[in-house]
PDB file of all heavy atoms in Angstrom:
ATOM      1  N   PHE A1219      -2.023  11.651   0.841  1.00 83.00           N
ATOM      2  CA  PHE A1219      -2.267  10.917  -0.411  1.00 83.00           C
ATOM      3  C   PHE A1219      -3.286  11.680  -1.262  1.00 83.00           C
ATOM      4  O   PHE A1219      -3.124  11.822  -2.471  1.00 83.00           O
ATOM      5  CB  PHE A1219      -2.815   9.516  -0.132  1.00 83.00           C
ATOM      6  CG  PHE A1219      -1.766   8.507   0.249  1.00 83.00           C
ATOM      7  CD1 PHE A1219      -1.902   7.742   1.394  1.00 83.00           C
ATOM      8  CD2 PHE A1219      -0.649   8.304  -0.544  1.00 83.00           C
ATOM      9  CE1 PHE A1219      -0.939   6.802   1.746  1.00 83.00           C
ATOM     10  CE2 PHE A1219       0.321   7.368  -0.203  1.00 83.00           C
ATOM     11  CZ  PHE A1219       0.167   6.615   0.951  1.00 83.00           C
ATOM     12  N   TYR A1230       6.924   7.737  -5.495  1.00 92.00           N
ATOM     13  CA  TYR A1230       6.391   6.488  -4.931  1.00 92.00           C
ATOM     14  C   TYR A1230       6.416   5.388  -6.007  1.00 92.00           C
ATOM     15  O   TYR A1230       6.900   4.273  -5.773  1.00 92.00           O
ATOM     16  CB  TYR A1230       4.952   6.734  -4.437  1.00 92.00           C
ATOM     17  CG  TYR A1230       4.210   5.489  -4.014  1.00 92.00           C
ATOM     18  CD1 TYR A1230       4.210   5.070  -2.684  1.00 92.00           C
ATOM     19  CD2 TYR A1230       3.516   4.711  -4.940  1.00 92.00           C
ATOM     20  CE1 TYR A1230       3.532   3.920  -2.296  1.00 92.00           C
ATOM     21  CE2 TYR A1230       2.851   3.558  -4.562  1.00 92.00           C
ATOM     22  CZ  TYR A1230       2.857   3.168  -3.242  1.00 92.00           C
ATOM     23  OH  TYR A1230       2.200   2.027  -2.868  1.00 92.00           O
ATOM     24  N   ALA A1262      -7.916   1.111  -3.337  1.00 98.00           N
ATOM     25  CA  ALA A1262      -6.702   1.874  -2.980  1.00 98.00           C
ATOM     26  C   ALA A1262      -5.569   1.429  -3.905  1.00 98.00           C
ATOM     27  O   ALA A1262      -4.485   1.064  -3.463  1.00 98.00           O
ATOM     28  CB  ALA A1262      -6.336   1.702  -1.508  1.00 98.00           C
ATOM     29  N   CYS A1263      -5.859   1.511  -5.182  1.00 98.00           N
ATOM     30  CA  CYS A1263      -4.975   0.930  -6.219  1.00 98.00           C
ATOM     31  C   CYS A1263      -3.673   1.691  -6.394  1.00 98.00           C
ATOM     32  O   CYS A1263      -2.742   1.178  -7.015  1.00 98.00           O
ATOM     33  CB  CYS A1263      -5.713   0.862  -7.549  1.00 98.00           C
ATOM     34  SG  CYS A1263      -6.124   2.500  -8.227  1.00 98.00           S
ATOM     35  N   GLY A1264      -3.593   2.931  -5.864  1.00 96.00           N
ATOM     36  CA  GLY A1264      -2.381   3.713  -6.064  1.00 96.00           C
ATOM     37  C   GLY A1264      -2.075   3.839  -7.554  1.00 96.00           C
ATOM     38  O   GLY A1264      -2.981   4.064  -8.377  1.00 96.00           O
ATOM     39  N   THR A1267      -0.544  -0.708  -9.082  1.00 98.00           N
ATOM     40  CA  THR A1267       0.421  -1.782  -8.790  1.00 98.00           C
ATOM     41  C   THR A1267      -0.217  -3.163  -8.921  1.00 98.00           C
ATOM     42  O   THR A1267       0.214  -3.988  -9.738  1.00 98.00           O
ATOM     43  CB  THR A1267       0.969  -1.600  -7.353  1.00 98.00           C
ATOM     44  OG1 THR A1267       1.338  -0.246  -7.162  1.00 98.00           O
ATOM     45  CG2 THR A1267       2.150  -2.521  -7.102  1.00 98.00           C
ATOM     46  N   ASP A1286      -9.168   4.581  -6.232  1.00 97.00           N
ATOM     47  CA  ASP A1286      -8.325   5.245  -5.233  1.00 97.00           C
ATOM     48  C   ASP A1286      -8.921   6.619  -4.957  1.00 97.00           C
ATOM     49  O   ASP A1286      -9.665   7.175  -5.771  1.00 97.00           O
ATOM     50  CB  ASP A1286      -6.880   5.377  -5.756  1.00 97.00           C
ATOM     51  CG  ASP A1286      -5.875   5.571  -4.638  1.00 97.00           C
ATOM     52  OD1 ASP A1286      -5.776   6.695  -4.115  1.00 97.00           O
ATOM     53  OD2 ASP A1286      -5.185   4.603  -4.285  1.00 97.00           O
ATOM     54  N   LEU A1287      -8.518   7.138  -3.783  1.00 94.00           N
ATOM     55  CA  LEU A1287      -8.934   8.475  -3.368  1.00 94.00           C
ATOM     56  C   LEU A1287      -8.121   9.553  -4.063  1.00 94.00           C
ATOM     57  O   LEU A1287      -8.584  10.683  -4.240  1.00 94.00           O
ATOM     58  CB  LEU A1287      -8.659   8.546  -1.858  1.00 94.00           C
ATOM     59  CG  LEU A1287      -9.172   9.665  -1.011  1.00 94.00           C
ATOM     60  CD1 LEU A1287     -10.675   9.575  -0.931  1.00 94.00           C
ATOM     61  CD2 LEU A1287      -8.564   9.535   0.392  1.00 94.00           C
ATOM     62  N   SER A1288      -6.881   9.224  -4.441  1.00 93.00           N
ATOM     63  CA  SER A1288      -5.904  10.231  -4.853  1.00 93.00           C
ATOM     64  C   SER A1288      -5.935  10.476  -6.366  1.00 93.00           C
ATOM     65  O   SER A1288      -5.590   9.589  -7.146  1.00 93.00           O
ATOM     66  CB  SER A1288      -4.505   9.751  -4.442  1.00 93.00           C
ATOM     67  OG  SER A1288      -3.520  10.395  -5.219  1.00 93.00           O
ATOM     68  N   PRO A1313     -13.585   7.051  -2.496  1.00 96.00           N
ATOM     69  CA  PRO A1313     -13.057   6.545  -1.232  1.00 96.00           C
ATOM     70  C   PRO A1313     -13.469   5.102  -1.005  1.00 96.00           C
ATOM     71  O   PRO A1313     -14.509   4.657  -1.502  1.00 96.00           O
ATOM     72  CB  PRO A1313     -13.692   7.470  -0.182  1.00 96.00           C
ATOM     73  CG  PRO A1313     -14.924   8.006  -0.817  1.00 96.00           C
ATOM     74  CD  PRO A1313     -14.719   7.980  -2.307  1.00 96.00           C
ATOM     75  N   ALA A1314     -12.667   4.390  -0.233  1.00 98.00           N
ATOM     76  CA  ALA A1314     -12.900   2.963  -0.022  1.00 98.00           C
ATOM     77  C   ALA A1314     -14.203   2.690   0.712  1.00 98.00           C
ATOM     78  O   ALA A1314     -14.765   1.602   0.582  1.00 98.00           O
ATOM     79  CB  ALA A1314     -11.730   2.383   0.772  1.00 98.00           C
ATOM     80  N   GLN A1330      -4.078  -3.752  -1.455  1.00 98.00           N
ATOM     81  CA  GLN A1330      -2.710  -3.876  -0.937  1.00 98.00           C
ATOM     82  C   GLN A1330      -2.313  -2.582  -0.218  1.00 98.00           C
ATOM     83  O   GLN A1330      -2.178  -1.530  -0.843  1.00 98.00           O
ATOM     84  CB  GLN A1330      -1.724  -4.168  -2.080  1.00 98.00           C
ATOM     85  CG  GLN A1330      -0.252  -4.098  -1.609  1.00 98.00           C
ATOM     86  CD  GLN A1330       0.741  -4.761  -2.511  1.00 98.00           C
ATOM     87  OE1 GLN A1330       1.024  -5.954  -2.357  1.00 98.00           O
ATOM     88  NE2 GLN A1330       1.298  -4.029  -3.462  1.00 98.00           N
ATOM     89  N   GLN A1331      -2.077  -2.676   1.081  1.00 98.00           N
ATOM     90  CA  GLN A1331      -1.578  -1.564   1.906  1.00 98.00           C
ATOM     91  C   GLN A1331      -2.479  -0.344   1.787  1.00 98.00           C
ATOM     92  O   GLN A1331      -2.002   0.771   1.565  1.00 98.00           O
ATOM     93  CB  GLN A1331      -0.114  -1.243   1.563  1.00 98.00           C
ATOM     94  CG  GLN A1331       0.815  -2.440   1.549  1.00 98.00           C
ATOM     95  CD  GLN A1331       0.786  -3.259   2.839  1.00 98.00           C
ATOM     96  OE1 GLN A1331       0.333  -2.790   3.890  1.00 98.00           O
ATOM     97  NE2 GLN A1331       1.255  -4.495   2.796  1.00 98.00           N
ATOM     98  N   PHE A1336      -7.690   3.831   6.000  1.00 96.00           N
ATOM     99  CA  PHE A1336      -9.087   4.232   5.826  1.00 96.00           C
ATOM    100  C   PHE A1336      -9.648   4.744   7.149  1.00 96.00           C
ATOM    101  O   PHE A1336      -9.568   4.054   8.174  1.00 96.00           O
ATOM    102  CB  PHE A1336      -9.945   3.062   5.325  1.00 96.00           C
ATOM    103  CG  PHE A1336      -9.482   2.449   4.021  1.00 96.00           C
ATOM    104  CD1 PHE A1336      -9.853   1.149   3.683  1.00 96.00           C
ATOM    105  CD2 PHE A1336      -8.688   3.172   3.136  1.00 96.00           C
ATOM    106  CE1 PHE A1336      -9.429   0.580   2.483  1.00 96.00           C
ATOM    107  CE2 PHE A1336      -8.258   2.619   1.940  1.00 96.00           C
ATOM    108  CZ  PHE A1336      -8.625   1.318   1.616  1.00 96.00           C
TER     109      PHE A1336
HETATM  110  C1  SAM B 843       0.614   2.694   0.270  1.00 83.57           C
HETATM  111  S1  SAM B 843      -0.425   3.161  -1.034  1.00 83.57           S
HETATM  112  C2  SAM B 843      -0.780   1.574  -1.764  1.00 83.57           C
HETATM  113  C3  SAM B 843      -1.161   1.719  -3.204  1.00 83.57           C
HETATM  114  C4  SAM B 843      -1.270   0.424  -4.000  1.00 83.57           C
HETATM  115  N1  SAM B 843      -2.264  -0.469  -3.474  1.00 83.57           N
HETATM  116  C5  SAM B 843       0.056  -0.260  -4.136  1.00 83.57           C
HETATM  117  O1  SAM B 843       0.153  -1.443  -3.792  1.00 83.57           O
HETATM  118  O2  SAM B 843       1.005   0.372  -4.622  1.00 83.57           O
HETATM  119  C6  SAM B 843      -1.926   3.535  -0.199  1.00 83.57           C
HETATM  120  C7  SAM B 843      -3.038   4.000  -1.130  1.00 83.57           C
HETATM  121  O3  SAM B 843      -4.238   4.136  -0.377  1.00 83.57           O
HETATM  122  C8  SAM B 843      -4.962   5.228  -0.925  1.00 83.57           C
HETATM  123  N2  SAM B 843      -5.960   5.648   0.065  1.00 83.57           N
HETATM  124  C9  SAM B 843      -5.725   6.185   1.276  1.00 83.57           C
HETATM  125  N3  SAM B 843      -6.882   6.430   1.907  1.00 83.57           N
HETATM  126  C10 SAM B 843      -7.878   6.044   1.069  1.00 83.57           C
HETATM  127  C11 SAM B 843      -9.299   6.008   1.151  1.00 83.57           C
HETATM  128  N4  SAM B 843      -9.945   6.440   2.242  1.00 83.57           N
HETATM  129  N5  SAM B 843      -9.993   5.534   0.103  1.00 83.57           N
HETATM  130  C12 SAM B 843      -9.356   5.085  -1.020  1.00 83.57           C
HETATM  131  N6  SAM B 843      -8.016   5.080  -1.152  1.00 83.57           N
HETATM  132  C13 SAM B 843      -7.279   5.542  -0.122  1.00 83.57           C
HETATM  133  C14 SAM B 843      -3.892   6.247  -1.209  1.00 83.57           C
HETATM  134  O4  SAM B 843      -4.311   7.277  -2.082  1.00 83.57           O
HETATM  135  C15 SAM B 843      -2.791   5.371  -1.779  1.00 83.57           C
HETATM  136  O5  SAM B 843      -2.883   5.259  -3.170  1.00 83.57           O
END
Side-chain angles (χ1 to χ4, degrees):
F1219 280 128
Y1230 172 93
C1263 65
T1267 313
D1286 201 282
L1287 191 68
S1288 158
Q1330 172 162 270
Q1331 310 306 342
F1336 302 158

